[in-house]
């Protein structure tokens, strides 16, 4: 009988009254992020039937503490979560500002710009009853700029970047690992921020993988729940080098999936120009970029080449460009002879370098270059 009366009361409630009861229940339970999400839904719903209520809710969401939140600047006032066993911090703030502009393919840049524009234009989206994307998955081989792009986004949005070392949350007592992840994500959600889950495949593996124990499979479920509950005032980024290892449900949870390909020769050259800061000859950079691209190199490998040349130049008290010539020759010698010849001919024909200069850079004789160029011209 009592249940029947309660059902009737629930049926007699208006949508607004039901939302208010739901809102009160979540507020009393201390579920702050759920409260914000419900308010966002209410703002969208009532802006059509009751413009005053819709606008009032949108104003509340817009003016809610965010720009001056404790996490900005000096960090969250709550203590950094620690692993109960090792007492090692489970999360670390990344204060490194990007020293170079990421060199990205058009598709990647467009996707990243879209993320930033949504969060920078959050007020306009809220006014339209929408919210910015809350999560994005970065997929690509190591060294292609995933972490750099995360720093770049944090800099553009003026939000703190927090990095979760997924290996650190793997407790020696597997039953505590899910709790570690929840503690970290609750800490990150306390104020607007960008959280980067690096090497996501460490924990978010396929649940049909027979090699994984049951506890690790349950971690995937925990992670999916946390992604679903992520607030629109922050951005959850995840990066993986092995997208094929991820559970299919993980892919569906992210609102944006961005594939980071290996850079081509033009992109590597642009990156090298930033790394050398004008201290290396243009043609040397071109040859190194072509050589690295032929080897399937990443941006991190290009940066290592430039760093090696800088160190040698500093120790020998010589210009960076001079030592970069040595590094250039070392890079080219890693290519098969046929590939070196092809590259030498291409430099003469496409980049209009002199045969003498190409010989100096590649080690391929001028006679060989001349014969190959003539042969290709006759074939063309």
């Amino acid at each position: 009988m009592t249940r029947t009366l309660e059902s009737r009361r629930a049926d007699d409630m208006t949508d607004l009254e039901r939302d208010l009861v739901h809102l009160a229940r979540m507020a009393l339970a201390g579920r702050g992020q759920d409260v914000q999400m419900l308010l966002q839904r209410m703002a969208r719903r009532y802006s059509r039937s009751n413009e005053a209520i819709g606008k009032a809710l949108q104003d509340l969401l817009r003016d809610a503490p965010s720009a001056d939140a404790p996490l900005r600047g000096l960090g969250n006032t709550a203590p950094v979560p620690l692993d109960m066993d090792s007492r090692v911090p489970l999360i670390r703030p990344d204060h490194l500002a990007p020293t170079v502009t990421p060199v990205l393919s058009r598709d990647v840049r467009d996707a990243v710009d879209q993320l930033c524009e949504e969060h920078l234009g959050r007020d306009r989206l809220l006014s339209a009853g929408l919210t910015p994307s809350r999560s994005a998955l970065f997929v690509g081989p190591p060294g292609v700029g995933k972490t750099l792009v995360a720093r770049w986004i944090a800099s553009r949005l003026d939000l703190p970047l927090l990095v979760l070392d997924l290996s650190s949350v793997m407790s020696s007592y597997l039953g505590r690992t899910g709790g570690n992840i929840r503690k970290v994500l609750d800490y990150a959600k306390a104020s607007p921020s960008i959280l980067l889950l690096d090497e996501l495949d460490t924990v978010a593996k396929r649940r049909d993988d027979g090699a994984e124990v049951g506890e690790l499979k349950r971690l995937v479920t925990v992670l999916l729940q946390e992604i679903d509950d992520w607030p629109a005032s922050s951005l959850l980024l995840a990066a993986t080098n092995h997208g094929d290892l991820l559970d299919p449900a993980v892919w569906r949870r992210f609102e944006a999936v961005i594939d980071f390909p290996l850079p081509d020769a033009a992109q590597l050259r642009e990156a090298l120009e930033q790394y050398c800061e004008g201290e290396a000859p243009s043609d040397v950079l071109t040859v190194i970029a072509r050589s690295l691209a032929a080897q399937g190199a990443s941006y991190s490998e290009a940066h290592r080449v430039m760093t090696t040349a800088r160190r040698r130049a500093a120790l020998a008290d010589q210009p960076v460009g001079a030592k970069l010539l040595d590094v250039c020759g070392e890079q080219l010698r890693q290519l098969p002879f046929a590939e070196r010849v092809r590259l030498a001919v291409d430099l003469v024909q496409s980049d209009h370098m002199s045969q003498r200069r190409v010989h100096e850079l590649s080690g391929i004789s001028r006679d060989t270059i001349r014969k190959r160029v003539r042969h290709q011209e006759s074939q063309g």
Side-chain angles (χ1 to χ4, degrees), residues 176-206:
R176 293 179 180 171
T177 303
N180 281 346
I181 291 179
R182 281 199 173 96
K183 284 193 297 184
V184 167
L185 271 69
D186 286 344
Y187 175 84
K189 289 189 292 185
S191 293
S193 63
I194 294 177
L195 176 63
L196 174 62
L197 306 179
D198 204 6
E199 298 185 16
L200 181 65
D201 48 274
T202 302
V203 296
K205 294 183 179 180
R206 299 175 62 95

Side-chain angles (χ1 to χ4, degrees), residues 139-328:
V139 183
V144 292
K146 299 188 294 293
T147 302
L148 176 61
V149 167
R151 290 182 182 137
W152 189 48
I153 291 174
S155 177
R156 289 178 65 178
L157 300 184
D158 194 23
L159 288 174
L161 175 63
L162 304 173
V163 180
L164 171 58
D165 182 356
L166 287 169
S167 63
S168 70
V169 304
M170 301 296 287
S171 173
S172 55
Y173 299 96
L174 284 178
R176 293 179 180 171
T177 303
N180 281 346
I181 291 179
R182 281 199 173 96
K183 284 193 297 184
V184 167
L185 271 69
D186 286 344
Y187 175 84
K189 289 189 292 185
S191 293
S193 63
I194 294 177
L195 176 63
L196 174 62
L197 306 179
D198 204 6
E199 298 185 16
L200 181 65
D201 48 274
T202 302
V203 296
K205 294 183 179 180
R206 299 175 62 95
R207 283 174 286 186
D208 59 1
D209 185 350
E212 297 299 339
V213 298
E215 178 60 30
L216 291 181
K217 294 178 181 179
R218 285 190 288 273
L219 284 180
V220 178
T221 302
V222 171
L223 190 60
L224 296 180
Q225 293 170 348
E226 293 293 342
I227 294 174
D228 286 340
D229 192 39
W230 197 254
S233 58
S234 297
L235 182 59
L236 175 64
L237 302 176
T240 178
N241 302 332
H242 306 286
D244 56 310
L245 296 180
L246 294 181
D247 189 283
V250 174
W251 289 85
R252 295 193 294 270
R253 285 316 199 281
F254 287 94
E255 295 183 70
V257 177
I258 304 177
D259 289 309
F260 285 68
L262 283 170
D264 59 23
Q267 292 164 345
L268 285 168
R269 192 187 186 289
E270 184 179 347
L272 287 167
E273 285 180 348
Q274 294 190 61
Y275 302 154
C276 77
E277 300 177 359
E279 297 185 61
S282 177
D283 56 358
V284 175
L285 296 181
T286 297
V287 174
I288 292 179
R290 293 286 193 91
S291 175
L292 289 171
Q295 299 172 54
S298 65
Y299 292 118
S300 63
E301 289 167 307
H303 188 269
R304 183 164 57 248
V305 166
M306 188 61 64
T307 301
T308 298
R310 283 181 172 279
R311 287 172 177 157
R312 292 181 183 179
L315 292 172
D317 194 22
Q318 293 182 354
V320 173
K323 288 301 178 183
L324 200 56
L325 281 172
D326 297 337
V327 177
C328 177

